[in-house]
Structure formats: C-alpha cells, structure tokens
Amino acid sequence: MMEYDKVKVPSQAQAIAIKNGQLNVSDHPIILFIEGDGAGLDIWTTTVKVLDAAVEKAYAGKRKIAWTEIYAGEKSNLIYGADTWLPDETLNALREFKVALKGPLNNVHSLNETLQQSLDLYTSLKPVKYFLGIPSPVKRPENVSMVVFRENSEGVFAGIEFEADSIASDKIKNILEEEGLLNKVRFPDNVSFGIKPVSKEGSQRLMRAAITYAIKNKLPSITIVHKANTMLTEDYFVKRAYEVAKDEFSKETISWEDCGGNPPPGLILIKDIDAETFLHLSLTKPEDYSVIVAMNLIGGYISNALNAQVGGIGIAPGANINFETGLAIFEATHCAAPKYAGLNKVNPLSLILSGVMMLRFIEWDEAADNIENAIKKVIAQKTVTYDFARFMDGAKEVTCSEFGELLVKNLP
C-alpha cells in the first residue's frame, strides 16, 4: 500500500483489486469519495446515508463500505494549499483503490478532463432510465431505456488544438498546402486548428466494453452512432467497432446486414446510424435502442438529449471507467450549483443513482435494486425536491436530506 499524507486509509478494510480481468471485492472494500464543491456536500451527505442503509439492509451487516475521502476542487485547495485543484495523492489513491464516487466540482471541465486523461478512463458510461411519475417533455418517456458508451480519451476531446496566428497553426497550413488541401480551409488567414485522433485500439476497446456489458445485462442491441458519411475518422471508428463484434464476439452478436434486422434468438444485433437520424428516432422510436456507442462529442449530445426525455440532469447518473484496469469514478453529472450551496435544496438523485451504478459495478446488485425500488416508491408518492415539484401537480416539495430519509424509509 502506498504512503499518503492527507488521505486517511482505514486499516480494517481491503482495497479492490483486479485479477484475470475480474474485480476482486471484499465484504469491506475501500471506496474513495470526493465530496464536491457548491451543493456537493449536501448531496454527498444524503447519498452516503442512502447507500450505507441499503447495503446494511441488503446484507444484514455482513458487508460495509469503508469510505475514504480524497480531494479535488475547492476542498483540495483548503487541504493542500492554494491552486492545488487535483493533488498527486488523489491520482495515486485512485490508481491503488480503483473505485470512487465523486460529487460535482467547480472548474468541472478541466478537472474531469484531467482525471479522464491521467487515468485513461476511456469510457464515459451514461445509463438513461425513466422512473414513473417524473415530469418529462415527451409523451412516452417510459420507452427510453438506453446505456451510452461514449469514448473519453480520443477524438476532439484529446485536446490537440492550436490558436490562430500561432507557430503550430502556420505549420499545419504549410502541411495542408503541400498536400493540396489548403483550399478546403475557407478563411486560411485567420484560422485555428484542431486534430481529431481516432485509433484502432481506442475504438475497439470501447466497443469491446459495450458488447461485454450487453452480454452481461442481456440487452438486445448495440447501435454505433456516428458521422461516417462526412468524416473519415468516424468511418474508421465504425469499421473498427464492427471488427470487434465479428472477430471477438461472433457467437454472441450478428450484424444488421447479416440478418436483415431480425437476429436469431439469443444474439445481440449490431447496427449503426448517423447522428442526426438517431437523435430524431430517439424521440419517435426510442424502444428500438438499448446500448449506444459513439465518439465523445456525439456521445455527449446523445446522453444530454436522452436525459432531457427522462427528467433532466437532476436524475442523470454517470461514470468514467477503464474496464481493463478496473478503475472507475462514478459521479453526479450536473454542475456544482454554488448558489445552492448549504441550502439543502438540490436533488441528490444524480449522485445516488451514480452510487447505484457503483454498487452494480462491484456486483452488490441486491443493494442497488433496493435503492431503485425505493426511488420508485418515493416518486410515486409525489414527495420530491424542488426541481420536480414545480412540474408535478399535487407534489409535496421536500429538502435534499428529507428526500434521502424517505428513500431510506422505503427501502425494501
């Protein structure tokens, strides 16, 4: 075990390990947490009470999470000193203990990007599911049940960009001119450039994770969403994804072309669709889709659009995962909402449902099921936080902590 200065590792617990590609989780695993900034403390305090109560009830005290705090964001500045937003101790602890639950952070884009790139968390995993009674802008939100596998490490999010009038930008213009492509740049005198790397390895490991997930959860189809009709990089991504299905999962999958859209029983249908058409059909025929695979920019649009159909970001869980190393950070997907800090007001469901994802990741499914059942009961009772109450007739508005207490009370 590494030595830490500020991180207090409990002695009577065990680190989660990965052996032969499988997580090895004890009955008392060390799981890291980051409280988060702004309203993060409110939703974290509520979330941990719900998770602990669900674990206690599901396993009659046999299992218990050893929560261990690590630091990022504003609290990191207080603990480690000014301008220390993401200390090395936090990254080292994540590498050692594998699994963490994270509240929302200010400066969220750069910190999340640093975590993803530093730890090679190549999958952004976003399950989208509707709970009956939650206000929605669409007629049949109950038909939306999808899991988005969004590539996290390549594409436009690799961050390879050059400002206009920079030396690097001039070099790119020279290369384009040598290749006879500068005429494709509409205004070459004042232009910034971005490079979009898409590799065989990066594309295939994402698809591999998606197929493995679909097999484990007995899901009927995987849809690759793309812009292959206009971008060579997207076409490359699609072709490499199909190769994984054909070369590594031929007994479990079948392509649309090989079965005309009617797979034999027990086989997962692999298909692809351009992004514009998918966004249209996700509104009109969402029941046709279960697992979605996409590069990061398109995947981001998709997950946000789907979340809007089932109630918005207040109920949107997420995770950034490396399925090969077992390293996973589960997180609230909304911002830190600093204006609500300390008001005990913000909906905790995004973080609670991220905790449910975490429980399923370590295969504590009984506790996860119990929390989801409690959420269904409480929402059916129309006792909800302000963001839902204002759109629900006859609803009773409750605080963040009161909502958590109701979940604990309604655990099966």
Side-chain angles (χ1 to χ4, degrees):
M1 187 175 293
M2 298 182 186
E3 292 187 3
Y4 297 95
D5 180 23
K6 309 296 184 183
V7 177
K8 309 301 180 186
V9 180
S11 58
Q12 303 300 317
Q14 291 180 290
I16 294 173
I18 187 164
K19 295 181 179 178
N20 300 320
Q22 299 293 319
L23 285 181
N24 185 5
V25 183
S26 73
D27 286 339
H28 299 280
I30 294 170
I31 292 181
L32 307 173
F33 73 92
I34 297 171
E35 279 184 354
D37 300 327
L41 178 58
D42 289 344
I43 64 172
W44 163 252
T45 302
T46 295
T47 295
V48 72
K49 289 178 180 177
V50 173
L51 295 178
D52 283 346
V55 169
E56 169 70 26
K57 197 162 188 179
Y59 307 112
K62 180 183 177 183
R63 290 176 172 175
K64 186 175 182 179
I65 294 171
W67 296 105
T68 302
E69 187 170 14
I70 56 176
Y71 305 96
E74 293 175 0
K75 193 168 184 178
S76 177
N77 282 317
L78 294 175
I79 301 296
Y80 291 89
D83 294 324
T84 309
W85 295 94
L86 186 61
D88 289 340
E89 274 201 338
T90 290
L91 294 173
N92 289 336
L94 287 163
R95 292 185 182 101
E96 180 171 6
F97 298 112
K98 303 295 185 189
V99 178
L101 184 61
K102 181 175 78 64
L105 297 171
N106 290 325
N107 198 17
V108 64
H109 175 72
S110 60
L111 288 177
N112 279 351
E113 184 178 292
T114 301
L115 284 167
Q116 292 160 17
Q117 296 293 332
S118 299
L119 302 171
D120 194 21
L121 302 175
Y122 62 85
T123 299
S124 173
L125 186 65
K126 302 285 182 68
V128 184
K129 181 179 180 180
Y130 180 68
F131 289 90
L132 186 64
I134 289 177
S136 167
V138 298
K139 281 188 175 181
R140 293 182 295 276
E142 65 276 7
N143 290 346
V144 180
S145 181
M146 302 184 211
V147 180
V148 180
F149 278 73
R150 173 189 179 193
E151 210 291 320
N152 242 353
S153 64
E154 296 191 314
V156 296
F157 280 16
I160 307 173
E161 297 182 299
F162 306 99
E163 292 185 359
D165 299 322
S166 66
I167 294 174
S169 181
D170 289 340
K171 289 180 178 179
I172 293 174
K173 283 192 284 187
N174 290 336
I175 293 172
L176 292 175
E177 189 169 21
E178 290 172 5
E179 297 295 325
L181 296 172
L182 191 59
N183 64 314
K184 289 182 175 290
V185 181
R186 182 68 63 189
F187 301 104
D189 293 335
N190 300 285
V191 59
S192 59
F193 288 100
I195 295 176
K196 180 186 177 185
V198 178
S199 71
K200 175 180 177 180
E201 294 82 359
S203 302
Q204 292 193 336
R205 67 179 182 176
L206 182 73
M207 187 64 171
R208 188 176 298 116
I211 295 175
T212 302
Y213 184 96
I215 293 170
K216 180 179 179 181
N217 293 279
K218 299 179 180 178
L219 298 174
S221 69
I222 295 174
T223 305
I224 309 160
V225 184
H226 57 80
K227 284 294 297 176
N229 56 329
T230 58
M231 299 182 190
L232 289 174
T233 49
E234 295 278 325
D235 184 59
Y236 187 80
F237 172 73
V238 173
K239 289 177 178 176
R240 303 295 80 78
Y242 271 113
E243 286 174 356
V244 171
K246 181 179 179 181
D247 296 343
E248 301 179 26
F249 297 95
S250 60
K251 294 181 180 179
E252 295 87 3
T253 67
I254 190 167
S255 71
W256 181 282
E257 289 184 355
D258 289 340
C259 69
N262 295 301
L267 292 186
I268 298 167
L269 177 64
I270 308 295
K271 51 187 176 176
D272 70 274
I273 190 172
D274 69 89
E276 291 93 341
T277 303
F278 173 78
L279 288 171
H280 171 82
L281 293 176
S282 70
L283 286 167
T284 59
K285 299 181 69 178
E287 62 275 9
D288 287 352
Y289 304 96
S290 54
V291 178
I292 308 301
V293 176
M295 291 299 296
N296 40 54
L297 187 62
I298 291 173
Y301 295 152
I302 289 169
S303 57
N304 280 358
L306 294 177
N307 284 329
Q309 294 187 49
V310 300
I313 58 174
I315 198 169
N320 294 301
I321 303 175
N322 184 316
F323 285 95
E324 297 171 352
T325 64
L327 207 162
I329 301 175
F330 299 85
E331 61 184 8
T333 58
H334 54 72
C335 68
K339 70 177 182 178
Y340 293 123
L343 298 182
N344 194 21
K345 187 178 180 72
V346 171
N347 188 342
L349 276 176
S350 179
L351 191 61
I352 289 171
L353 286 169
S354 297
V356 169
M357 290 178 67
M358 181 199 74
L359 291 172
R360 296 200 187 283
F361 186 72
I362 64 173
E363 298 188 345
W364 290 13
D365 291 317
E366 298 85 356
D369 290 340
N370 289 349
I371 294 173
E372 288 198 348
N373 287 329
I375 291 171
K376 294 174 184 177
K377 290 180 184 178
V378 173
I379 291 173
Q381 296 163 6
K382 293 188 175 183
T383 46
V384 292
T385 49
Y386 82 100
D387 54 324
F388 290 161
R390 58 186 172 171
F391 297 115
M392 295 171 66
D393 293 336
K396 177 185 177 182
E397 182 178 327
V398 296
T399 65
C400 175
S401 60
E402 287 170 342
F403 186 80
E405 290 166 5
L406 289 168
L407 291 180
V408 172
K409 182 179 179 181
N410 283 275
L411 287 169

